[in-house]
Amino acid sequence: MQTNSPAHTYLVIDDDMVDRQVLTRHLKGGNEQCKIHEAEDVLEAVQICHLHHVDCVLIDYHLPYSDGLDGIIQLKKMIKNAPIIMVSGVGDAVIAAHAVRVGAQDFISKANLTHDALMRVIETSTHYARMEHDLREQNDAMQQFNRVLAHDLRAPISRMNSFIDMVREAIRNNRLDQADEYMAYAKQAADISLEMITTLSSYAKTGVDTQFGIVDMNTLMSDIRMTFGDVIKEGNVQLRIQGNLPAIYGSRSLVYQVFCNLVANAMKYNR
C-alpha cells in the first residue's frame, strides 16, 4: 500500500550514504513530488534549515562531531513547528525516550523501516507537532492575558480600595449620606474592573472582542477621571478635557484600557 505523508519537504540527517538512500526511497514511495534535503552532520543540517523550509526532520543517533540528541536540541530551536523523528539503527528504548524528552516527536528503528511504517510515524508526529504549536500559542496568549490583566486592573482596584476606606471613615463619623456616595463610586470601579475582566477573558479565548457599540467618550473620560482621582491629587497632576467629546464606535472596555494606559504613562513619565 502506498501512502502520502502530510509533509512535503524532508531533511534526512545521516552520515551513512546507503542509509540516506534507503530513507529517501521510503519517503518518496513512488511520489516524486516530495523534496528531500540530505545532511551528513548537524552543522550541515543547521545550514540547510537556514536556507530552506523543512516540513519534517529525520535524524540518526550516531553522527560525527555531535550525536542526534544534540542535533534535536539545536534544530528544535530553528524549526519549532516541524516534527523531528529519530531514525536509528540503535533500537534502545532508553535512547528513544531521551530523544522524545529533548524534543523529538517519535523514534523508529531502521530494522523496522518500511514505507508504510515511516509514513504512519510521520503522520502521527506531524499531528503531535501541531498540537505542541497550538499549546504554545495558547500558553503565550494566557501569559499575555495575565500581564494585561495585572497592569490594567491596578488603577480601578486601587481606586476601589480608596473608596472603601472613605466609606469606613464616613460610617465611623456617622455620615451615612457620604458613605452611600462613596459606596456608589466603589461599585462603579468594581463594575469597570468586571467589564475589563470579561472583555479580556473573551479576547484571550477567541482572539476577537465582540462587544462593539457606540462609546460615549464624555462618560468614559469621567470614569477615567474617577479611576485616577486619588493618584491625580497626590501627584499634583491636572487632567483637563476641553470641549464636548464625540461618540465613537468600538469596544468600550478596550478604549477605556487605551486611555487608562495613556494617562498612567503620562503621569509616570511626567517631569
Side-chain angles (χ1 to χ4, degrees):
M1 179 179 65
Q2 298 295 319
T3 58
N4 292 323
S5 166
H8 302 288
T9 303
Y10 304 95
L11 171 58
V12 176
I13 310 169
D14 197 314
D15 61 331
D16 188 297
M17 183 181 66
V18 174
D19 285 346
R20 293 200 307 272
Q21 290 176 344
V22 171
L23 274 171
T24 297
R25 184 173 68 253
H26 285 313
L27 286 171
K28 288 187 175 180
N31 178 14
E32 297 298 328
Q33 292 184 347
C34 70
K35 189 172 183 179
I36 300 175
H37 299 287
E38 297 183 16
E40 295 185 5
D41 53 52
V42 175
L43 179 60
E44 186 179 1
V46 168
Q47 293 173 344
I48 290 173
C49 289
H50 276 303
L51 297 174
H52 304 281
H53 169 77
V54 174
D55 293 306
C56 180
V57 176
L58 306 171
I59 185 169
D60 189 20
Y61 175 70
H62 288 299
L63 294 172
Y65 313 118
S66 61
D67 62 29
L69 298 176
D70 181 62
I72 292 171
I73 295 172
Q74 293 188 51
L75 293 172
K76 196 69 177 179
K77 298 175 182 177
M78 302 178 62
I79 48 174
K80 296 181 179 180
N81 301 333
I84 300 177
I85 302 167
M86 177 163 281
V87 185
S88 178
V90 181
D92 191 332
V94 175
I95 294 177
H98 198 175
V100 173
R101 190 159 54 247
V102 298
Q105 269 68 41
D106 209 339
F107 176 99
I108 184 171
S109 172
K110 290 180 180 179
N112 302 324
L113 202 60
T114 64
H115 170 76
D116 291 342
L118 185 58
M119 291 301 103
R120 284 194 296 270
V121 170
I122 291 175
E123 183 176 5
T124 302
S125 298
T126 300
H127 176 68
Y128 287 155
R130 288 172 181 166
M131 290 178 61
E132 288 180 3
H133 174 260
D134 292 342
L135 184 59
R136 282 195 304 270
E137 286 193 336
Q138 291 175 5
N139 288 336
D140 291 344
M142 185 57 66
Q143 291 177 9
Q144 176 65 16
F145 169 70
N146 291 335
R147 287 193 293 268
V148 171
L149 195 62
H151 178 273
D152 291 349
L153 285 179
R154 188 174 294 113
I157 290 178
S158 176
R159 187 63 172 157
M160 203 185 315
N161 284 333
S162 297
F163 280 127
I164 290 173
D165 290 338
M166 294 166 70
V167 169
R168 288 174 177 172
E169 182 66 22
I171 292 175
R172 276 196 297 266
N173 295 316
N174 202 30
R175 299 196 304 268
L176 299 183
D177 290 343
Q178 282 188 338
D180 286 340
E181 180 182 357
Y182 296 148
M183 185 60 74
Y185 287 138
K187 176 66 166 57
Q188 185 179 8
D191 289 341
I192 291 173
S193 301
L194 182 60
E195 183 182 4
M196 291 173 61
I197 291 172
T198 301
T199 300
L200 287 172
S201 179
S202 175
Y203 188 84
K205 291 178 181 178
T206 65
V208 178
D209 175 28
T210 56
Q211 301 301 316
F212 276 72
I214 302 299
V215 180
D216 185 340
M217 292 301 296
N218 294 294
T219 303
L220 184 136
M221 293 307 297
S222 295
D223 290 343
I224 290 176
R225 187 189 296 276
M226 182 273 294
T227 299
F228 288 94
D230 290 342
V231 181
I232 290 174
K233 291 179 182 178
E234 294 172 1
N236 193 25
V237 176
Q238 292 185 351
L239 177 59
R240 291 184 294 182
I241 303 171
Q242 297 181 347
N244 191 40
L245 299 177
I248 66 171
Y249 182 79
S251 166
R252 190 184 193 283
S253 58
L254 294 181
V255 175
Y256 173 86
Q257 291 174 52
V258 170
F259 278 90
C260 276
N261 290 337
L262 287 173
V263 173
N265 288 334
M267 291 189 292
K268 179 179 179 180
Y269 298 105
N270 178 48
R271 294 182 180 179

